Amino acid sequence: MRKSFTMLFAVMLAFTALLGCSNSSGDSADRGGSEDSPSQTGSGNSAKLVKIKYVVPGTEPKDYKEVFQKINEKLAADGVGVEVEKVYIPFDAWDQKLNLMLSTGDDFDLFHIMQDRTPFSSYYNRGALADISESIEKYGDNLKKNIPDDIFEGAKIDGKYYAVPSYWVEMASEGEFDIRRDILRQNHLQEPTNPEELISAWETVMKNWKGSNKPYYAAKADFDPVSLHTTVFHRTYDTFPFTVKDKFFYVNQNGDVKSWIETDEFKKDSEYMRQMYTKGITNPDILVMKNEQINAQIDNGDWFVNFGTTGSLKSLKQNNPDATVDDIGVVWFNPEKEYLRPLTFKNGNAVPANSKHPDEAVKFMNWMLASQDNYDLVQYGIEGKHYTKDGDKGMKAINDPANNNPGYRGSESQNGNVNFMRFDLENSIPENNKVLFESNPDAVNSIAANFVFDPTNVRTEFTNITTEAAASMTPIYMGVQDYDKAFPAALDKMKKAGLDKVVAEYQRQFKEYQAKQNK
């Protein structure tokens, strides 16, 4: 564990938030800390039961308490010696609330990490993470068995584990988008093959849309293409493959590192986004949109194109009762090009530095992958009440008559694993399942996928550029401001905030990282 950090950490984390990937009560995060009490293990031997607190973004499901009572009973029966309390924090309060809990030393033992929003290295660099290497060595057999080595390696810093990846998605899915083929047919449109065709088709759909809610581009404003999945444009650039790391750094497969916002690719992205904004494809309130609004749009089926993968047939049918699973398709621009993993893993979980129970946190994660029954209980709830099995890998959710939604559903983006995942065979989208949950044999990792930047030497400048970019670069990248008019002044502010110094430090560290990899 590293030294405790100052309130500078609070400021920095608040501004390093980025999109991704679960759901109430911020008040629950203020409950008392973990307690230990004697209990009985499954073998009947008296043992000390350790209660751990697991903090996640999202809204607490209606039947959470009932399901976690069953989970804790099963943990006891299996002799794990762990009891789990899951604490939900609303998405829009997640970064600020978690930041406060970490900086004030709140008592909790496990928390969720979204690599494409705030990578685990950001928490590590501020001293917020516990080294869990020994815990994984002692209690992580199932984790090591079910998470590929190259993915698990991405959770290491200086040879030590600081996170447990969630192996729930093929990261080479980055760069595709979902499209409504039923809407293409209705408007006599062909599937777009480049950004110009996409924008033109979208403009036509917006003009002809009959519904009350327009099918706007759905996203929370940012300037990071990995978070926004505006990486869909990148496959059309001659310089692809490349990725953007830690929001600010363009890295190509030759090892060239540049300031992302100063690249021609950033300019091209911004110009496409400007077209979308001026043509009414982007919501006019994009800069203040909240996750709840964006999720509601997708869940209601009021969309034509979504960067990234989208929902299920059930949500689409709400306003489109005749929809079928084949009405949603996956599109790649230039599909003959390389498929690149910008990160080796997208989400994961980590133990905070102040946790008194790192072993128990790892034991719980390991237990989830000990059997299909354990996994099913955590992710799908109580069989017969929340879901029924549909063959070896299928499931059908049982909806609560009060709101037509399951009373419980876990989050596979938080702690799922493709070796255990079940699919709603009636409502899940086959093309999405293939892209997301099947390994892509043609994919390659970005050479920067496992690189961890340490901003210690430029901490003040890194904080300053993060703050400045949120204010100055986001409106340009989202197309709200014209690039040619707004960029020079915005870049000047970024330079004054310390951009050049941060980029030089990143380049230095990455060069050293490459040298070690090539030994």
Side-chain angles (χ1 to χ4, degrees):
M1 294 189 233
R2 304 169 61 141
K3 292 182 179 180
S4 60
F5 37 92
T6 67
M7 287 306 292
L8 175 59
F9 170 51
V11 175
M12 295 181 73
L13 265 186
F15 291 107
T16 55
L18 322 181
L19 191 277
C21 337
S22 330
N23 297 319
S24 149
S25 168
D27 303 11
S28 59
D30 292 322
R31 290 178 231 171
S34 304
E35 296 177 0
D36 299 342
S37 58
S39 182
Q40 296 291 117
T41 66
S43 62
N45 298 323
S46 179
K48 200 171 189 180
L49 182 66
V50 177
K51 295 182 181 180
I52 65 170
K53 184 183 289 186
Y54 178 21
V55 179
V56 299
T59 302
E60 183 177 299
K62 174 177 170 287
D63 294 342
Y64 154 78
K65 289 184 173 63
E66 181 181 3
V67 172
F68 263 74
Q69 180 178 340
K70 295 288 186 183
I71 289 171
N72 287 325
E73 288 173 359
K74 184 74 162 58
L75 282 163
D78 292 345
V80 181
V82 177
E83 183 176 306
V84 182
E85 175 193 8
K86 204 169 185 181
V87 177
Y88 294 84
I89 298 173
F91 263 110
D92 285 327
W94 170 251
D95 297 295
Q96 293 79 8
K97 185 70 175 179
L98 177 63
N99 169 33
L100 182 62
M101 293 175 71
L102 289 167
S103 62
T104 57
D106 273 23
D107 190 6
F108 63 108
D109 306 288
L110 190 63
F111 70 98
H112 182 54
I113 286 171
M114 292 170 275
Q115 284 289 92
D116 59 345
R117 181 168 172 144
T118 305
F120 84 98
S121 58
S122 178
Y123 300 107
Y124 166 85
N125 286 328
R126 294 156 181 83
L129 301 186
D131 172 4
I132 53 174
S133 303
E134 288 188 14
S135 299
I136 289 173
E137 185 62 33
K138 291 179 183 177
Y139 307 113
D141 287 352
N142 298 320
L143 297 173
K144 290 185 285 187
K145 176 183 176 182
N146 290 291
I147 301 171
D149 291 343
D150 63 332
I151 292 178
F152 226 146
E153 281 295 309
K156 281 184 175 180
I157 297 176
D158 293 335
K160 297 178 180 179
Y161 289 107
Y162 287 91
V164 172
S166 297
Y167 177 46
W168 71 281
V169 67
E170 168 56 83
M171 279 305 300
S173 59
E174 189 64 45
E176 62 78 38
F177 61 89
D178 275 3
I179 197 164
R180 292 272 302 277
R181 289 183 173 143
D182 56 330
I183 294 178
L184 285 174
R185 292 192 296 269
Q186 290 165 16
N187 288 273
H188 309 290
L189 295 167
Q190 298 297 311
E191 193 170 279
T193 62
N194 56 53
E196 291 79 11
E197 291 179 5
L198 171 64
I199 292 171
S200 176
W202 210 332
E203 188 179 15
T204 298
V205 169
M206 295 294 283
K207 289 177 181 176
N208 296 339
W209 189 259
K210 299 284 194 294
S212 56
N213 299 310
K214 290 279 191 180
Y216 291 118
Y217 162 62
K220 188 173 180 180
D222 207 320
F223 61 95
D224 177 17
V226 176
S227 174
L228 290 166
H229 306 298
T230 45
T231 49
V232 301
F233 300 134
H234 296 174
R235 299 183 65 82
T236 66
Y237 301 158
D238 292 339
T239 50
F240 186 83
F242 65 88
T243 191
V244 177
K245 286 282 291 182
D246 301 310
K247 287 195 173 192
F248 291 103
F249 312 103
Y250 164 107
V251 185
N252 64 24
Q253 292 298 81
N254 295 325
D256 300 320
V257 177
K258 305 176 187 177
S259 164
W260 161 237
I261 62 174
E262 295 181 79
T263 62
D264 289 339
E265 291 80 5
F266 179 91
K267 181 179 180 180
K268 290 177 184 178
D269 284 5
S270 300
E271 289 171 344
Y272 282 131
M273 298 298 284
R274 179 66 174 169
Q275 288 186 56
M276 290 172 58
Y277 185 78
T278 56
K279 291 176 182 292
I281 295 170
T282 299
N283 193 306
D285 297 323
I286 186 68
L287 295 181
V288 294
M289 292 287 288
K290 295 185 176 181
N291 279 314
E292 285 83 355
Q293 295 169 282
I294 295 159
N295 293 337
Q297 177 186 336
I298 300 298
D299 291 343
N300 291 333
D302 296 324
W303 62 276
F304 167 52
V305 169
N306 189 53
F307 293 173
T309 51
T310 308
S312 68
L313 181 63
K314 178 189 170 186
S315 62
L316 192 59
K317 275 181 168 289
Q318 289 195 51
N319 292 326
N320 309 275
D322 296 327
T324 72
V325 292
D326 296 322
D327 286 334
I328 297 178
V330 169
V331 178
W332 303 86
F333 292 146
N334 294 334
E336 74 284 356
K337 284 193 173 183
E338 212 161 32
Y339 296 88
L340 187 71
R341 298 185 184 100
L343 304 166
T344 49
F345 67 97
K346 188 172 185 177
N347 294 40
N349 295 280
V351 177
N354 62 297
S355 169
K356 301 179 182 68
H357 308 298
D359 285 352
E360 285 72 22
V362 170
K363 284 181 181 180
F364 169 64
M365 290 186 283
N366 190 69
W367 173 85
M368 279 191 287
L369 304 186
S371 71
Q372 187 69 52
D373 286 346
N374 293 353
Y375 186 89
D376 289 348
L377 182 58
V378 172
Q379 299 297 353
Y380 312 122
I382 300 169
E383 186 180 4
K385 178 169 184 176
H386 300 117
Y387 78 101
T388 57
K389 294 176 184 175
D390 185 8
D392 289 339
K393 282 295 183 180
M395 57 85 70
K396 294 181 180 179
I398 300 174
N399 291 334
D400 186 332
N403 57 17
N404 203 35
N405 285 311
Y408 176 86
R409 184 65 194 263
S411 173
E412 296 190 288
S413 66
Q414 288 176 4
N415 46 35
N417 189 283
V418 295
N419 297 306
F420 297 90
M421 290 171 71
R422 293 185 182 274
F423 300 97
D424 182 338
L425 301 180
E426 292 182 3
N427 289 298
S428 63
I429 309 304
E431 289 193 29
N432 281 348
N433 290 347
K434 181 175 178 61
V435 166
L436 289 174
F437 309 123
E438 293 183 18
S439 177
N440 184 341
D442 299 321
V444 297
N445 292 341
S446 163
I447 64 171
N450 290 337
F451 171 65
V452 176
F453 175 53
D454 181 357
T456 300
N457 295 336
V458 288
R459 190 178 297 280
T460 299
E461 291 82 2
F462 191 72
T463 301
N464 290 343
I465 66 169
T466 302
T467 305
E468 186 58 54
S472 300
M473 288 298 161
T474 296
I476 296 171
Y477 193 71
M478 299 307 298
V480 176
Q481 295 178 355
D482 179 82
Y483 177 94
D484 290 332
K485 293 178 181 178
F487 185 77
L491 180 61
D492 183 60
K493 291 178 181 178
M494 292 294 295
K495 297 282 190 181
K496 289 177 179 176
L499 178 63
D500 291 342
K501 188 174 180 180
V502 174
V503 172
E505 177 65 13
Y506 196 97
Q507 291 170 330
R508 182 190 68 78
Q509 290 185 27
F510 188 70
K511 187 176 181 179
E512 291 179 357
Y513 168 80
Q514 281 188 293
K516 290 180 181 177
Q517 301 306 303
N518 295 330
K519 282 183 179 180

